[in-house]
Amino acid sequence: MTVKFPLLQIPLINFFASSTRISRHRRFIFMASQSYFDSPSAATTDYPVPLSPPLPALSKDIEPNRALTASSKSALFSLSRSHVIFEDEWIIAVNKPQGIYCESVLSSLPDLLNDTGANVSELHLANRLDRDTSGVMLITKLHKVAAKFVKAFTDHKVRKTYLAYCVGLAPKWEKITVKSGHGRSKYGAWRVYAASDAGRKLPGGSLVKDMETSFEVLSVNGLGCFKEVSDFHKDEDVVIVQEKSVIGCDLKKDEILVRASPRSGRTHQIRLHCQYLGIPIRGDVRYEGVYEWKGSRYDSHELHAESLSFEHPITGKPMLLQAPLPSWAIQPLRSQFE
């Protein structure tokens, strides 16, 4: 397939003839344009320039209120058996609700496990989700199991998939992988950086880290079909981020349901890459997502941790843990669920 981004196309053979790591069937696209920051002060420093915009003014008004609301909800939250997706003597997986902090889920778990007589002194979060992200959250019951999961995540042995409801310009691609840098700007916000900036120092002293996410379109404006979790790396296009995207987030006309699979585990990774692709997540005002859409206001972003797959650290059995779909993910695919 051909992806028609309004981009500067660079001949592939001259750039990658010596690379032995790149599969021939993949197409690499370099997004090129002017930087957001072309000021003399930026030019006189040796710091990497962020390629995604700063936080919108709207987010500075809305985010504090969302945090207060979530704090109130989290203080009253308690887990029930209806939240449990899977449990054995070593791990428990739960479906975290939207708008609840991970720490509140963890702190409410002992009350649930005390009824079973389980040991609650070594509970540990194996993965974390943003406040407004729902879905699979894995908790280990023993320190030795926690250590095994740390290694599994570090070695990319755990596969994660998410569903995101986006509003923007319908993409020309069906599958795509985005590779970029990730880090905090001098004002403390998480930003997208060029892939080639990985390893460079930022103003706060931290380093730009690599960030990679694969996407698959499931539905556009309610047309599409739900697909089982599959291999993202077949027939995909690849974007290696080097410059600011020329696809603006102001082209809000289509509703797109995507599945995302992050290879790295950077903070706000999927949200940042959706913004870069011009399809910000609905309700995600921090990264240019719509707050009001078709007469409704969205008080949280619509991102759901759909699944975790891994080899069980004790039994060695392959595991696939899936959370029930939220209503906003079912709606564009409702014909399949009727």
Side-chain angles (χ1 to χ4, degrees), residues 1-5 9 27 29 171-174 235 237:
M1 61 176 285
T2 301
V3 179
K4 297 182 179 178
F5 282 96
Q9 300 292 325
R27 293 177 292 280
I29 305 166
K172 303 296 184 182
W173 43 266
E174 180 180 352
D235 302 320
D237 296 293

Side-chain angles (χ1 to χ4, degrees), residues 10-295:
I10 301 177
L12 302 183
I13 187 168
N14 293 336
F15 272 79
F16 298 103
S18 61
S19 175
T20 60
R21 295 184 178 181
I22 301 171
S23 301
R24 293 182 179 178
H25 71 280
R26 296 182 178 178
R27 293 177 292 280
F28 287 77
I29 305 166
F30 285 81
M31 294 189 167
S33 183
Q34 285 286 325
S35 169
Y36 272 95
F37 300 89
D38 255 343
S39 64
S41 60
T44 56
T45 66
D46 193 32
Y47 294 125
V49 177
L51 304 182
S52 57
L55 298 182
L58 179 65
S59 73
K60 298 174 184 177
D61 296 329
I62 294 175
E63 281 295 319
N65 291 329
R66 287 183 175 179
L68 286 174
T69 300
S71 295
S72 298
K73 288 175 61 178
S74 297
L76 300 172
F77 177 75
S78 62
L79 275 173
S80 69
R81 280 289 154 188
S82 64
H83 292 109
V84 177
I85 298 170
F86 173 84
E87 183 182 8
D88 62 17
E89 59 186 292
W90 301 287
I91 60 176
I92 181 170
V94 300
N95 183 21
K96 185 187 89 66
Q98 191 178 59
I100 301 295
Y101 288 103
C102 288
E103 291 78 9
S104 297
V105 176
L106 182 64
S107 63
S108 68
L109 188 56
D111 290 337
L112 184 68
L113 295 181
N114 280 335
D115 295 338
T116 66
N119 177 21
V120 297
S121 64
E122 299 184 11
L123 298 177
H124 180 80
L125 289 174
N127 71 313
R128 305 182 70 88
L129 300 177
D130 293 339
R131 177 192 68 211
D132 291 333
T133 300
S134 58
V136 182
M137 201 174 90
L138 185 63
I139 300 166
T140 59
K141 297 181 178 181
L142 297 171
H143 292 323
K144 67 176 183 179
V145 179
K148 288 178 180 291
F149 269 109
V150 169
K151 178 171 174 51
F153 276 102
T154 302
D155 295 342
H156 306 296
K157 296 294 181 63
V158 180
R159 187 185 180 197
K160 301 163 285 185
T161 68
Y162 292 73
L163 297 177
Y165 198 113
C166 306
V167 176
L169 187 63
K172 303 296 184 182
W173 43 266
E174 180 180 352
K175 292 183 179 182
I176 202 167
T177 290
V178 183
K179 299 181 180 183
S180 74
H182 170 273
R184 284 188 186 273
S185 67
K186 66 177 181 178
Y187 299 109
W190 295 107
R191 309 284 282 278
V192 172
Y193 288 83
S196 57
D197 284 335
R200 294 182 62 190
K201 183 177 288 188
L202 292 165
S206 61
L207 301 178
V208 175
K209 297 182 179 180
D210 64 291
M211 179 165 67
E212 179 179 338
T213 315
S214 294
F215 292 92
E216 179 181 23
V217 174
L218 298 180
S219 170
V220 176
N221 297 325
L223 300 176
C225 62
F226 188 80
K227 304 171 185 176
E228 295 300 324
V229 177
S230 60
D231 185 358
F232 276 83
H233 301 288
K234 292 181 179 179
D235 302 320
E236 68 179 9
D237 296 293
V238 178
V239 172
I240 298 182
V241 174
Q242 298 290 11
E243 297 289 347
K244 170 188 164 289
S245 173
V246 297
I247 308 171
C249 290
D250 55 339
L251 301 173
K252 299 178 172 68
K253 71 170 190 174
D254 296 309
E255 298 175 349
I256 309 107
L257 181 67
V258 300
R259 174 178 283 133
S261 179
R263 177 170 171 79
S264 45
R266 310 303 179 205
T267 303
H268 299 176
Q269 172 168 334
I270 296 171
R271 298 163 64 186
L272 282 163
H273 274 167
C274 281
Q275 179 191 33
Y276 188 83
L277 290 171
I279 51 170
I281 298 171
R282 188 167 66 179
D284 193 2
V285 294
R286 181 182 290 268
Y287 298 116
E288 300 186 279
V290 293
Y291 176 51
E292 297 183 5
W293 180 249
K294 295 185 176 180

